[in-house]
Amino acid sequence: MTSMTSSDIKADTGKVPESGPAIRLSGISKSFPGVRALNGVNLSLYPGSVTALVGENGAGKSTLVKILTGIYQPDEGEIRCDGAPVRFATTMDAARLGVTAIHQETVLFDELTVAENIFLGHQPKNRFGLIDWSRMNADARAILERIGARIDPEMRLRDLGIANRHLVAISRALSVNARVVIMDEPTAALSHKEIGELYELVFKLKAEGKAILFISHKFDEIFRIADRYTVFRDGEMVGEGLLADVSQNDLVRLMVGRDVGQVFPKVPAEIGGTVLTVSGYSHPTEFEDIGFDLKRGEILGFYGLIGAGRSEVMQALFGITRPSKGAIRIDNELAVIRSPAEAVARGIVYVPEDRGRQGAVTAMPIFANVTLPSLSRTSRHGFVRMAEEFALAREYTARLDLRAAALDQEVGTLSGGNQQKVVIAKWLATKPKVIILDEPTKGIDIGSKAAVHAFMSELAGQGLSVIMVSSEIPEIMGMSDRVIVMREGRIAGTFAREGLTPEMLVRAAAGIGETP
Amino acid sequence: MMPVEKSSEPRFVRDRLQGRSERIVKSWESLLLLVAVVIFLVNVWSSPYFLDPWNLSDATFNFTEKGLIAFALALVIISGEIDLSVASILALASTLMGLAMTHGAGVPELVLIGLGTGLVCGAINGLLVSRLGLPSIVVTIGTMSLFRGISYIILGDKAFTGYPADFAWFGQGYVFWVFSVELVLFVLVAVFFAVLLHMTSFGRMIYAIGNNPVAAQFSGVRVERVKFILFLLSGLMSGLAAVCLTSRLGSTRPSIATGWELEAVTMAVLGGINILGGSGRIGGVVLAALIMGMVTFGFGLLNVPGIVMSIFVGLLLILVIAIPKVLNRLAPAKKRG
Ligand SMILES: Nc1ncnc2c1ncn2[C@@H]1O[C@H](COP(=O)(O)OP(=O)(O)OP(=O)(O)O)[C@@H](O)[C@H]1O
Ligand SMILES: [Mg+2]
């Protein structure tokens, strides 16, 4: 493991070698109340090379990205661009020096069009100095096509689902001509099709000589597209080198400080009677004739491409949108669910995919988020009981391996993966009968993923029924008792766990070959 | 090279980042308390009449009725909405009370009509906002004109006078020594709203809605119902303020309490209620009410004209809101650990 020793490249003496870093950070530290997010880390990005940055949830990866893009100022440390010291005092500085980023939590504007979002701040102008709309729309269309996104640039952003929003954010990052491209978990919750396009794009950018920083919790993709790696643990850099010299286990061990057990620790649960029956479920625009049933203790996976209508079906089941046709039965009794409150009262809960908008109240503390749907349980005669709230929050966040400074910390100040854990904890704490998880482990690191899956599996063993919408094939295959594949708003196939292969899922999702 | 054998057991997460004392010292209320003490001392120093208990008691009428409105309004604002019709509800409630009085209504009827008008007006606002999903700023600007317009139609340029003698108790009576009925009501209502906001599940839902209504709805909170109740409460408090003010003045003109909606909003915002919703506490609003009352009273003793008074309150508002931001700029995140 000598290759992983963090021998700092002492290239300062003499001239910068040909393949010197495009950007180099050294001794960067950054603290927040109660936590030292970065502690003297070093990182170098080389032209024409993809560097993977790995580390557990809360290790400091996104904080580093924000420092590189001028959003945060480091407390200490130095940034050099082509060997010359620079300061990213504002986001403008970073953009001017050719750094662009796809952030983990993207900030886009709901009321603007897709094209406006992509070009906001650098819209193409005509000779009168006004925005050149036709060129902007055409350019936007070209960028979207480049990443294989089928989105009309003149659509309003608020009409897009989270995955398509993410594709818009990617396009935005690519709309500027940058030398350094940073991608903070770009493939989280994209399906295999979009992921494939994104890899192509990364290879193209690399061939163009850009320096790329790629943050991901998925090891297969890291080994597929990256050349170098840097590992963070608890805000420190604990290793760097060439990926060719290490194995996945080496990286995990560096990252977590131990070996991670089985990632999909599915224990066979006793499958009981039918809990939920959905039949003839239809929506005027989103889905058509959806029918399935869910048994006690069962984990039912839902796979499909972006836009297949999976989230829309789930949101209708949860009472967010109204189906136009169809019925659901809970415990063989006809049920009408008109609002999330009614769904929760009947024991059906939904962990949404868009945690920033739908999942968490980010400006409120962790404990208040966890207890929000369980207030009737943690309060007495309508009065909140803090001790009960902290106890409940502590119990469930500990099971999910939450890393935080304190339970009264605002959820918005947690790392992305830890925010996700809060959202899952919040819903498990309601002790539901049926839990619908939409991309449950999006942004969660490998060790915590094992914790989440183990917890899910344990609860299924106790009779919880789980619907798991996921775009991660290994997760779907590893955790599900049964898998339903959706395509263009319809069910394209149902598969049992035995004999299921990734190819079967991919083919069904794409509509290739006969559907079983 | 870090040792690899270190295993990472689930980490202990503390309950609170700061201790109770640190939270209190750093709170908005502490800043307000400081401001209140300074204004109090300035008043004591500049006028020998200020410390007289009866003078101080008189001074409380500067804020008691507005305060009643501001407490309920604070909850509405925290939930991300606004109610600009509060003063007009007060006017309409007072007018209808006057109308009833001319038809021989007694004290209990008058109080019921005052409160009832408030509830009905609040329900109208609430229905328009929560059921039809209209923006509250538009709805309540509309009902602001509507409610006061009805008062003008009923009263024209006349006034209702001659309320029954017993009715004066609400606005002119004393419970004990210098403690007026209004002041006691103010305290009771403050306690009620503080408990509701800070100690109940309902209060927690208000914060959740104000911060992220979508996530609140996704969490099973009945967003529409909570908002409806808040507008109802706001109307009810305007009705209560109408009872107090009408009783104190002993008459009703359609122009009664003109401009109070902005004073109530000022009181709430000065009290640390985030105008964008999601944060703020009742304690701050109480302090803001005291501050505004003391300023008005102190300036009154010094014969400062009213317009100077509103300029001062405006400046105070901007200053108090700007101070924390400026301090933050000047002292960039201190290094820790
Ligand atoms: N604005 C903030 N205020 C307080 N703490 C913060 C803030 N931003 C980040 N942190 C803390 O800094 C640490 C590092 O967070 P960061 O987002 O960089 O993690 P990460 O490596 O990106 O994790 P993930 O894989 O979950 O995205 C975390 O403990 C987080 O809670
Ligand atoms: Mg992150």
Side-chain angles (χ1 to χ4, degrees):
Chain A
M1 292 214 301
T2 44
S3 62
M4 282 178 291
T5 334
S6 59
S7 59
D8 212 357
I9 312 153
K10 301 255 178 344
D12 269 334
T13 47
K15 70 175 179 58
V16 182
E18 193 182 60
S19 63
I23 206 158
R24 169 138 162 235
L25 295 95
S26 42
I28 298 282
S29 297
K30 176 78 187 170
S31 292
F32 297 107
V35 60
R36 189 154 185 139
L38 290 173
N39 191 3
V41 299
N42 304 325
L43 176 76
S44 302
L45 303 179
Y46 298 86
S49 168
V50 179
T51 304
L53 177 57
V54 297
E56 287 181 290
N57 295 135
K61 305 179 297 294
S62 298
T63 304
L64 190 84
V65 171
K66 287 179 188 160
I67 285 173
L68 265 172
T69 47
I71 296 171
Y72 289 158
Q73 299 304 312
D75 299 336
E76 285 160 33
E78 189 189 51
I79 307 177
R80 281 169 182 270
C81 245
D82 295 327
V86 291
R87 222 171 81 85
F88 293 165
T90 63
T91 50
M92 291 296 169
D93 289 350
R96 208 171 316 117
L97 285 160
V99 179
T100 189
I102 303 162
H103 288 284
Q104 188 175 14
E105 317 284 334
T106 48
V107 183
L108 297 169
F109 299 90
D110 264 7
E111 297 302 320
L112 300 183
T113 66
V114 168
E116 281 175 295
N117 267 289
I118 292 175
F119 286 102
L120 194 72
H122 53 274
Q123 298 95 334
K125 304 271 169 63
N126 62 19
R127 62 202 152 94
F128 305 113
L130 302 173
I131 294 175
D132 187 342
W133 286 91
S134 53
R135 204 174 108 213
M136 187 164 85
N137 286 332
D139 288 359
R141 188 164 287 124
I143 297 175
L144 287 164
E145 255 161 36
R146 201 168 153 203
I147 60 167
R150 282 178 304 165
I151 307 171
D152 177 3
E154 295 180 49
M155 257 173 100
R156 260 186 212 294
L157 196 81
R158 65 151 172 237
D159 297 328
L160 296 183
I162 174 109
N164 280 327
R165 283 164 176 264
H166 190 66
L167 292 172
V168 172
I170 294 176
S171 308
R172 172 165 174 77
L174 298 172
S175 69
V176 293
N177 192 14
R179 303 179 320 135
V180 178
V181 181
I182 301 169
M183 303 185 174
D184 196 350
E185 300 191 32
T187 61
L190 292 182
S191 66
H192 64 263
K193 181 171 156 293
E194 294 81 14
I195 291 177
E197 313 261 8
L198 190 89
Y199 292 164
E200 290 305 312
L201 182 85
V202 171
F203 290 131
K204 223 183 308 171
L205 291 173
K206 184 175 147 180
E208 290 169 15
K210 316 230 153 164
I212 298 164
L213 180 66
F214 193 91
I215 299 176
S216 174
H217 290 296
K218 300 178 188 168
F219 285 90
D220 48 345
E221 76 182 13
I222 289 170
F223 279 91
R224 184 157 159 205
I225 65 165
D227 311 300
R228 300 165 178 277
Y229 68 88
T230 296
V231 183
F232 280 7
R233 192 201 311 159
D234 291 334
E236 317 222 358
M237 196 205 74
V238 293
E240 63 178 0
L242 294 175
L243 274 169
D245 300 337
V246 289
S247 72
Q248 173 169 332
N249 279 341
D250 294 336
L251 278 191
V252 172
R253 217 174 303 126
L254 263 179
M255 185 175 131
V256 189
R258 67 183 153 97
D259 282 312
V260 169
Q262 209 187 344
V263 182
F264 303 109
K266 170 115 178 88
V267 286
E270 196 177 316
I271 309 277
T274 303
V275 175
L276 177 74
T277 313
V278 178
S279 51
Y281 223 44
S282 303
H283 183 280
T285 53
E286 304 297 345
F287 51 85
E288 181 69 37
D289 197 23
I290 302 296
F292 62 89
D293 53 14
L294 178 69
K295 307 221 159 50
R296 211 175 120 81
E298 185 181 34
I299 299 181
L300 177 60
F302 267 77
Y303 186 75
L305 300 179
I306 289 173
R310 292 172 297 164
S311 298
E312 286 75 10
V313 171
M314 302 310 155
Q315 298 200 353
L317 287 177
F318 191 54
I320 305 274
T321 51
R322 280 303 169 78
S324 56
K325 271 207 309 263
I328 55 180
R329 289 166 174 280
I330 300 169
D331 292 331
N332 273 324
E333 237 176 76
L334 212 56
V336 182
I337 293 177
R338 281 165 306 214
S339 70
E342 286 183 11
V344 176
R346 289 181 171 275
I348 300 183
V349 304
Y350 172 65
V351 176
E353 183 183 4
D354 192 343
R355 64 174 166 251
R357 290 195 316 151
Q358 304 168 340
V361 183
T362 49
M364 279 171 75
I366 296 170
F367 76 88
N369 268 278
V370 173
T371 57
L372 189 56
S374 310
L375 280 174
S376 56
R377 241 179 345 116
T378 56
S379 63
R380 181 178 288 153
H381 308 307
F383 288 89
V384 295
R385 291 180 298 174
M386 286 297 202
E388 309 273 323
E389 292 199 58
F390 278 111
L392 190 72
R394 202 176 308 116
E395 178 188 343
Y396 280 87
T397 53
R399 282 304 306 264
L400 296 171
D401 197 18
L402 180 82
R403 305 289 167 84
L407 289 178
D408 70 345
Q409 188 180 352
E410 282 179 12
V411 170
T413 65
L414 291 175
S415 80
N418 283 307
Q419 293 185 13
Q420 184 69 19
K421 294 176 202 167
V422 171
V423 180
I424 299 177
K426 154 178 147 177
W427 285 117
L428 287 178
T430 63
K431 299 213 170 72
K433 198 151 49 175
V434 175
I435 188 166
I436 305 171
L437 298 153
D438 205 341
E439 307 289 353
T441 57
K442 176 180 174 183
I444 290 188
D445 70 44
I446 185 162
S448 306
K449 214 176 220 171
V452 171
H453 287 151
F455 199 15
M456 253 166 79
S457 205
E458 182 190 320
L459 291 174
Q462 294 166 9
L464 173 71
S465 307
V466 180
I467 295 178
M468 188 180 67
V469 176
S470 173
S471 296
E472 261 185 69
I473 291 181
E475 180 171 71
I476 283 276
M477 305 231 339
M479 293 303 295
S480 312
D481 294 302
R482 215 154 37 106
V483 181
I484 291 178
V485 177
M486 278 185 67
R487 186 169 66 86
E488 290 170 4
R490 290 169 173 278
I491 290 183
T494 306
F495 304 88
R497 182 179 177 84
E498 287 73 41
L500 182 59
T501 64
E503 289 70 38
M504 289 158 73
L505 293 178
V506 171
R507 290 171 72 93
I512 309 164
E514 78 286 279
T515 38
Chain B
M1 188 69 221
M2 292 279 292
V4 167
E5 58 276 12
K6 191 189 98 185
S7 92
S8 79
E9 66 285 353
R11 278 161 231 210
F12 176 73
V13 180
R14 277 182 292 163
D15 280 359
R16 301 258 184 203
L17 203 54
Q18 307 172 327
R20 182 179 280 264
S21 48
E22 194 179 351
R23 262 181 290 143
I24 291 174
V25 169
K26 286 187 176 167
S27 69
W28 178 265
E29 285 77 3
S30 314
L31 180 69
L32 283 177
L33 192 62
L34 199 71
V35 173
V37 168
V38 168
I39 292 180
F40 184 82
L41 292 178
V42 169
N43 272 327
V44 170
W45 171 77
S46 61
S47 167
Y49 306 110
F50 183 77
L51 271 184
D52 178 77
W54 286 102
N55 277 347
L56 279 178
S57 171
D58 275 353
T60 59
F61 291 106
N62 284 323
F63 62 79
T64 44
E65 293 131 4
K66 287 170 202 159
L68 298 180
I69 297 175
F71 294 137
L73 186 59
L75 268 59
V76 173
I77 297 177
I78 293 174
S79 80
E81 303 290 343
I82 187 109
D83 185 351
L84 292 177
S85 70
V86 283
S88 300
I89 295 177
L90 195 164
L92 182 59
S94 182
T95 305
L96 294 184
M97 279 156 59
L99 200 62
M101 180 260 299
T102 59
H103 289 82
V107 173
E109 289 88 357
L110 288 180
V111 174
L112 282 180
I113 285 170
L115 301 182
T117 307
L119 279 177
V120 170
C121 293
I124 293 172
N125 285 333
L127 279 179
L128 290 172
V129 172
S130 68
R131 265 295 131 79
L132 297 186
L134 302 175
S136 57
I137 185 147
V138 178
V139 166
T140 59
I141 283 179
T143 53
M144 175 168 82
S145 310
L146 175 71
F147 297 149
R148 200 177 284 278
I150 297 175
S151 297
Y152 272 103
I153 289 173
I154 294 175
L155 268 170
D157 53 3
K158 293 197 294 292
F160 287 127
T161 50
Y163 285 94
D166 290 353
F167 186 60
W169 181 75
F170 294 97
Q172 300 170 23
Y174 289 83
V175 173
F176 165 69
W177 190 39
V178 294
F179 299 102
S180 64
V181 173
E182 283 203 6
L183 186 61
V184 171
L185 259 182
F186 174 86
V187 172
L188 291 179
V189 169
V191 169
F192 170 78
F193 278 104
V195 168
L196 183 65
L197 184 59
H198 303 303
M199 292 172 68
T200 69
S201 315
F202 185 76
R204 186 65 65 70
M205 292 176 194
I206 297 175
Y207 283 110
I209 293 171
N211 277 305
N212 186 343
V214 176
Q217 188 209 3
F218 271 73
S219 303
V221 174
R222 296 179 192 272
V223 176
E224 292 180 4
R225 195 163 77 179
V226 172
K227 285 189 176 170
F228 179 76
I229 293 173
L230 291 181
F231 278 100
L232 217 53
L233 280 175
S234 177
L236 182 66
M237 284 303 116
S238 299
L240 184 62
V243 172
C244 292
L245 185 61
T246 311
S247 158
R248 183 157 67 90
L249 301 177
S251 69
T252 301
R253 285 173 207 285
S255 61
I256 187 172
T258 301
W260 278 27
E261 60 281 323
L262 289 187
E263 290 193 49
V265 171
T266 307
M267 212 176 259
V269 173
L270 184 62
I273 307 293
N274 185 344
I275 193 70
L276 300 174
S279 65
R281 283 183 294 266
I282 291 296
V285 183
V286 172
L287 285 167
L290 290 178
I291 289 175
M292 286 173 67
M294 277 196 297
V295 168
T296 315
F297 179 55
F299 279 9
L301 283 178
L302 298 175
N303 283 323
V304 176
I307 185 66
V308 177
M309 223 128 58
S310 27
I311 292 177
F312 183 82
V313 170
L315 284 178
L316 193 68
L317 181 67
I318 294 174
L319 200 73
V320 175
I321 289 173
I323 285 174
K325 301 233 154 151
V326 173
L327 286 183
N328 266 346
R329 286 272 166 79
L330 292 182
K334 280 187 223 89
K335 283 169 198 162
R336 287 169 161 268

